[in-house]
RNA sequence: GCGCCCUUAGCUCAGCAGGAUAGAGCGACAGCCUCCUAAGCUGUAGGCCAGAGGUUCGAAUCCUCUAGGGCGCGCCA
């Protein structure tokens, strides 16, 4: 929390000289100056001008003459701002020594110690291919999990597979009408998808199909043997496909029971709702009325008696709380389900569960194709596996081009290609819609994953070439402007982690890593590290610290950092 | 019709619990490898922050309205 400490010291000093304000008030106002030449920390004095009935410029000047601290190199009033420059020598020495000592633990905090978080992400639908939308949920959720762990939480990662629901009734209908067993065995996902698409196409002409689909789902829910065995088969085939993707992305889960897991518990949920007199009959279905919140009702049971996903989500939430006593339950699910989650949380609240306060929908924008959301039903999707494979191939080409003598080319190509795809998704804010662009995903230059990986590899390369003993590295502090820019970013890392977690926003870390990489690359091109002078070890410490932070930052995004590429 | 999200450089995006001169990347143009990995670095060009009001000493940032785009709104998930 280094940068926060300096802020605190600065605030403390100001409060010391102005009795009418508290340290807290001041600390909130301290900011980072927009331009480097203005200083390292700034305090705008407008706020005090009202209270002291003095012009802010005057206040700044007064403080300038009074403030003195060994950590401040210069204190300078500039107009209504009071700017300070930190003592580069001392600060850089402290920062580098701390990072070297902490290693990959640098930036870890204890905010969540002793608390549980369950996070529901990825959650693809069985019998459908793994779409780009699920990729977003997967990489965002995976990253938030790691960030939460970094903040001390015990995290349980849940893959809430979409393995139940009317869609299976539809699929069974389609399979029985047009399906071919050997074709499904050969290419399960493709074949099941085309059946699903065909079903929706035919159903437009012949709405009776919808009824047949619903009827088959009801049979499935009632335990019909044929329905069950088809369901199990489709499910198994899908899981095989999904695990290929998770292997490529290096994502794991602690709990991967899907919706079907809750079947036996649904009755209890409905009974409870009923006992609480929350259920209301409406047009033949059972609903929870939410008109008091100005929201449409939440459907619990269909008129034919079958359940809906709200019922399953309610049941799952209750189960999860009983099992994990979470402080937060995070759902990384697309923005289009916002209403559903608002309803879900309200129903839990009405049921009297105070823990519903800890439930958070963490939505993300859509992947658009030609400005519209991609639709599985119409078969308008891009297969993730193919995109990943293409990225890896491109990375192989790059290696052949730029570094043909590299060892384990294949492994590195995988790390770089996958890194490009993950980073591309995480660098943008969650909520933004993104137009699907293969070209952008496969870029390796500029603000990309490979750019950061490359920067890391460069740092490693210097450390490889240098002869030094990690344990006896004597750090003397660095005062030149290229080093200082890097140091300032390094000391910000812990604050970035906190912010990123508070907002459930991995993009904060992604952007930070881009900034750090850029600063380090500038440093690299202007300062020759391996020069034999008295600051050599300090420079090596800087390089090492950058390497540590880049690697750890990438890890928090779910991206690996090869030592060579 | 109602609700939620979005609109910043040619393109993709940062910047938003209000603060100093609105920043990157890509693309374009001009440079840098006898020198630690050129997946890099340096420079030039490019902006009425969708529009109009309001709050404020101060608004890209907060509020209201308008326009444009996206997504939802009972038996899909």
């Amino acid at each position: 929390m280094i940068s926060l400490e300096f802020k605190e010291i600065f605030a403390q000093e100001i409060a010391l000289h102005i009795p009418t304000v508290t340290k807290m008030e001041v600390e909130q106002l301290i900011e980072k100056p927009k331009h480097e030449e203005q200083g390292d920390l700034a305090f705008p004095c407008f706020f005090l001008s009202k209270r002291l009935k003095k012009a802010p410029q005057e206040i700044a000047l007064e403080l300038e003459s009074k403030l003195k601290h060994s950590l401040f190199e210069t204190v300078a009033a500039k107009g209504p701002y009071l700017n300070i420059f930190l003592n580069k020598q001392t600060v850089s020495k402290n920062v580098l020594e701390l990072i070297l000592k902490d290693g990959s633990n640098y930036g870890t905090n204890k905010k969540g110690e002793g608390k549980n978080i369950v996070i529901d992400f990825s959650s693809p639908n069985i019998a459908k291919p793994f779409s780009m939308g699920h990729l977003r949920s997967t990489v965002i959720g995976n990253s938030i999990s790691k960030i939460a762990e970094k903040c001390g939480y015990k995290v349980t990662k849940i893959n809430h597979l979409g393995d139940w629901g009317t869609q299976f009734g539809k699929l069974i209908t389609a399979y029985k009408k047009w399906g071919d067993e050997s074709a499904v065995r050969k290419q399960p996902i493709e074949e099941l998808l085309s059946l699903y698409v065909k079903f929706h196409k035919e159903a437009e002409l012949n709405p009776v199909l919808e009824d047949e689909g619903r009827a088959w789902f009801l049979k499935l829910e009632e335990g019909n043997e044929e329905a069950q065995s088809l369901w199990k088969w489709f499910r198994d085939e899908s899981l095989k496909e999904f695990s290929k993707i998770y292997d490529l992305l290096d994502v794991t889960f602690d709990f991967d029971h899907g919706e079907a897991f809750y079947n036996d518990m649904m009755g209890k949920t409905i009974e409870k709702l009923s006992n609480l007199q929350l259920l209301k009959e409406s047009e033949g279905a059972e609903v929870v009325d939410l008109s008091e919140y100005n929201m449409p009702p939440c459907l619990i049971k269909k008129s034919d008696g079958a359940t809906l996903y709200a019922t399953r989500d309610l049941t799952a939430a209750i189960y999860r709380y009983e099992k994990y006593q979470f402080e937060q339950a995070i759902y990384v699910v697309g923005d289009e389900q916002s209403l559903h989650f608002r309803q879900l949380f309200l129903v839990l609240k009405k049921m009297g569960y105070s823990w519903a306060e800890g439930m958070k929908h963490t939505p993300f924008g859509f992947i658009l194709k030609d400005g519209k959301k991609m639709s599985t039903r119409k078969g308008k999707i891009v297969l993730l596996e193919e995109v990943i494979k293409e990225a890896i191939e491109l990375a192989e080409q790059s290696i052949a081009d730029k570094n043909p003598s590299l060892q384990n080319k294949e492994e590195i190509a995988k790390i770089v290609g996958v890194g490009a795809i993950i980073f591309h998704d995480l660098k943008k804010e969650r909520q933004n819609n993104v137009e699907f662009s293969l070209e952008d995903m496969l870029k390796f230059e500029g603000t990309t994953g490979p750019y950061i990986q490359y920067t890391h590899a460069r740092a490693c390369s210097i450390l490889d070439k240098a002869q030094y003993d990690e344990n006896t590295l004597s750090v003397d502090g660095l005062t030149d402007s290229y080093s200082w820019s890097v140091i300032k970013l390094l000391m910000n890392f812990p604050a970035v982690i906190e912010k990123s977690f508070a907002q459930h926003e991995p993009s904060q870390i992604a952007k930070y890593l881009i900034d750090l990489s850029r600063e380090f690359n500038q440093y690299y091109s202007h300062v020759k590290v391996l020069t034999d002078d008295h600051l050599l070890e300090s420079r090596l410490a800087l390089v090492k610290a950058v390497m540590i932070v880049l690697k750890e930052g990438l890890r928090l995004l779910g991206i690996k950092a090869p030592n060579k590429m």
Side-chain angles (χ1 to χ4, degrees):
Chain A
M1 213 92 17
I2 303 176
S3 68
L4 295 181
E5 273 169 22
F6 294 136
K7 222 168 154 176
E8 202 181 330
I9 291 167
F10 187 27
Q12 173 95 55
E13 287 298 307
I14 291 171
L16 205 69
H17 294 284
I18 302 183
T20 50
V21 295
T22 66
K23 192 182 95 184
M24 290 287 279
E25 282 176 314
V26 175
E27 198 173 341
Q28 281 181 352
L29 291 167
I30 290 176
E31 54 189 75
K32 200 180 88 193
K34 256 193 181 135
H35 304 274
E36 214 155 302
E37 64 276 8
Q38 288 166 338
D40 299 319
L41 289 172
F43 176 65
C45 301
F46 306 97
F47 155 81
L48 288 178
S49 91
K50 264 190 192 148
R51 196 169 294 187
L52 302 179
K53 304 224 164 35
K54 261 188 222 170
Q57 289 83 348
E58 215 178 308
I59 299 170
L61 278 170
E62 270 177 39
L63 284 169
E64 179 189 34
S65 60
K66 283 181 187 160
L67 247 59
K68 280 207 168 54
H69 192 284
S70 62
L71 279 173
F72 303 161
E73 198 167 272
T74 352
V75 179
K78 187 166 184 194
Y81 290 87
L82 182 70
N83 296 330
I84 64 161
F85 293 81
L86 293 169
N87 182 320
K88 298 185 180 65
Q89 183 84 38
T90 314
V91 170
S92 63
K93 182 171 156 60
N94 289 352
V95 171
L96 293 177
E97 280 175 347
L98 176 68
I99 297 174
L100 259 48
K101 178 172 77 72
D102 284 359
S104 63
N105 282 321
Y106 176 61
T108 301
N109 68 67
K110 295 179 172 174
K111 297 241 148 136
E113 221 170 31
K115 296 178 198 155
N116 286 336
I117 282 184
V118 301
I119 175 163
D120 178 323
F121 67 100
S122 194
S123 310
N125 294 319
I126 299 298
K128 290 192 203 170
F130 205 97
S131 71
M132 302 304 298
H134 289 117
L135 171 69
R136 291 208 86 184
S137 175
T138 306
V139 297
I140 292 170
N142 187 49
S143 175
I144 294 175
S145 311
K146 291 182 194 297
I147 296 166
E149 278 168 359
K150 183 93 180 159
C151 293
Y153 286 92
K154 166 89 178 65
V155 178
T156 303
K157 296 179 281 182
I158 299 177
N159 192 4
H160 191 61
L161 293 167
D163 60 1
W164 206 246
T166 309
Q167 52 180 336
F168 285 94
K170 294 178 178 177
L171 197 59
I172 291 168
T173 307
Y175 178 76
K176 287 183 68 74
K177 279 195 190 310
W178 315 295
D180 173 56
E181 185 176 336
S182 64
V184 176
R185 292 226 178 270
K186 220 164 133 196
Q187 288 198 305
I189 299 278
E190 285 85 344
E191 201 53 32
L192 292 175
L193 174 67
S194 77
L195 284 170
Y196 189 73
V197 172
K198 179 162 183 167
F199 179 92
H200 284 281
K201 210 169 137 195
E202 297 281 331
E204 271 181 38
L205 308 168
N206 182 12
V208 180
L209 280 173
E210 297 274 356
D211 295 330
E212 283 185 46
R214 279 193 278 272
W216 268 108
F217 174 56
L218 189 59
K219 282 191 206 172
L220 179 61
E221 243 186 356
E222 286 168 346
N224 174 288
E225 247 177 63
E226 184 182 11
Q228 290 264 348
S229 77
L230 282 174
W231 171 78
K232 194 169 178 315
W233 176 36
F234 296 158
R235 188 179 189 275
D236 290 346
E237 293 293 350
S238 296
L239 286 180
K240 276 187 225 159
E241 290 289 318
F242 294 158
S243 63
K244 278 196 239 166
I245 305 270
Y246 294 131
D247 283 348
L248 279 169
L249 295 177
D250 196 25
V251 171
T252 59
F253 297 93
D254 305 304
F255 187 96
D256 59 4
H257 293 295
E259 299 183 48
F261 174 76
Y262 302 95
N263 281 341
D264 297 342
M265 302 168 228
M266 303 267 254
K268 223 171 101 190
T269 306
I270 294 173
E271 195 183 320
K272 189 147 196 174
L273 283 165
S274 170
N275 288 343
L276 290 165
Q277 312 216 307
L278 291 173
L279 282 185
K280 210 169 100 181
E281 199 258 304
S282 168
E283 297 169 37
E286 304 270 349
V287 308
V288 176
D289 181 69
L290 295 171
S291 52
E292 67 202 273
Y293 298 103
N294 219 352
M295 239 182 264
C298 181
L299 261 82
I300 299 296
K301 211 170 173 184
K302 298 201 274 190
S303 46
D304 65 7
T307 61
L308 284 138
Y309 72 126
T311 330
R312 290 187 284 279
D313 274 356
L314 281 173
T315 309
I318 295 166
Y319 175 85
R320 288 173 193 176
Y321 187 75
E322 283 171 359
K323 188 160 177 186
Y324 301 107
Q325 286 87 42
F326 53 75
E327 185 208 47
Q328 283 185 47
I330 301 170
Y331 292 84
V332 185
V333 179
D335 211 359
E336 71 268 35
Q337 294 199 36
S338 285
L339 180 62
H340 162 68
F341 283 107
R342 280 198 289 155
Q343 291 178 312
L344 184 72
F345 301 163
L346 283 173
V347 172
L348 287 167
K349 197 175 156 195
K350 286 185 78 141
M351 291 176 84
Y353 295 121
S354 57
W355 48 259
E357 293 292 324
M359 314 215 37
K360 310 231 160 85
H361 179 209
T362 295
F364 54 86
F366 313 104
I367 311 268
L368 305 177
K369 183 92 176 166
D370 305 320
K372 301 272 179 198
K373 192 185 163 207
M374 292 197 231
S375 160
T376 312
R377 293 188 187 188
K378 292 178 181 153
K380 279 192 189 168
I381 44 154
V382 178
L383 295 180
L384 175 62
E385 200 179 339
E386 284 167 21
V387 175
I388 296 179
K389 286 196 170 138
E390 196 157 339
I392 294 173
E393 271 170 40
L394 257 168
E396 272 168 13
Q397 274 174 36
S398 280
I399 291 168
D401 228 34
K402 298 169 202 281
N403 198 353
S405 61
L406 187 68
Q407 304 277 307
N408 1 307
K409 286 193 185 98
E410 278 169 36
E411 193 196 335
I412 306 291
K414 192 184 141 193
I415 292 173
V416 173
V418 171
I421 286 179
I422 296 177
F423 192 85
H424 172 263
D425 212 316
L426 292 181
K427 74 177 172 183
K428 293 180 186 171
E429 278 180 12
R430 285 185 346 242
Q431 290 265 10
N432 292 357
N433 290 347
V434 292
E435 176 69 25
F436 175 77
S437 161
L438 195 59
E439 202 193 329
D440 286 352
M441 291 182 86
L442 301 183
K443 264 191 187 131
F444 294 169
E445 289 159 24
T447 51
T448 65
Y451 172 77
I452 298 168
Q453 289 170 323
Y454 176 73
T455 309
H456 172 267
R458 272 180 146 181
C460 288
S461 176
I462 292 177
L463 296 171
D464 271 356
K465 290 205 163 69
Q467 302 291 321
Y468 72 102
D469 180 351
E470 225 177 277
N471 303 310
T472 61
L473 212 51
S474 92
V475 183
D476 204 15
L478 294 161
T479 57
D480 65 285
S481 71
Y482 287 111
S483 307
W484 185 237
S485 299
V486 175
I487 301 273
K488 278 200 286 186
L489 280 171
L490 286 174
M491 66 191 188
N492 232 359
F493 187 51
V496 169
I497 289 171
E498 280 186 33
K499 186 175 180 194
S500 171
F501 177 68
Q503 303 182 346
H504 295 173
E505 189 61 91
S507 69
Q508 290 292 342
I509 289 177
K511 279 177 283 201
Y512 169 82
L513 293 177
I514 286 292
D515 290 342
L516 180 58
S517 297
R518 193 182 299 125
E519 286 301 341
F520 180 71
N521 279 319
Q522 287 172 13
Y523 173 83
Y524 181 95
S525 66
H526 291 99
V527 178
K528 174 88 181 168
V529 176
L530 297 178
T531 306
D532 196 10
D533 63 17
H534 70 289
L535 285 175
L536 173 62
E537 292 196 13
S538 295
R539 286 194 300 271
L540 285 174
L542 177 82
V543 174
K544 174 98 187 178
V546 168
M547 189 224 98
I548 288 169
V549 172
L550 287 179
K551 186 174 186 134
E552 178 62 4
L554 283 173
R555 187 189 70 80
L556 292 172
L557 299 180
I559 299 173
K560 288 185 184 142
N563 290 352
K564 290 191 168 74
M565 65 186 271

